[in-house]
Amino acid sequence: MFGAVRRFGVMQKLPYPDKVIEQIADYVYDNDIEKPVWFEEHYKQMGYQRGY
């Protein structure tokens, strides 16, 4: 992610308690989050390789 860090910088630390971070991680892991309509085309244009 060096390009993203160079372009956007490092995200600031967010002061979330550990419990909230666990809840967010559980939600992301347990739910099938729908991809935006534009995602596949962007993915191809950027030349990313799937790791799965």
Side-chain angles (χ1 to χ4, degrees), residues 22-33:
E22 288 175 18
Q23 290 172 330
I24 293 168
D26 287 343
Y27 179 84
V28 171
Y29 183 79
D30 292 337
N31 292 282
D32 186 18
I33 300 172

Side-chain angles (χ1 to χ4, degrees), residues 3-35:
V5 171
R6 232 178 290 125
R7 183 173 178 187
F8 301 109
V10 177
M11 185 174 171
Q12 66 183 354
K13 180 175 175 33
L14 301 175
Y16 291 120
D18 287 347
K19 183 65 178 168
V20 172
I21 294 171
E22 288 175 18
Q23 290 172 330
I24 293 168
D26 287 343
Y27 179 84
V28 171
Y29 183 79
D30 292 337
N31 292 282
D32 186 18
I33 300 172
E34 188 175 323
K35 292 179 192 170

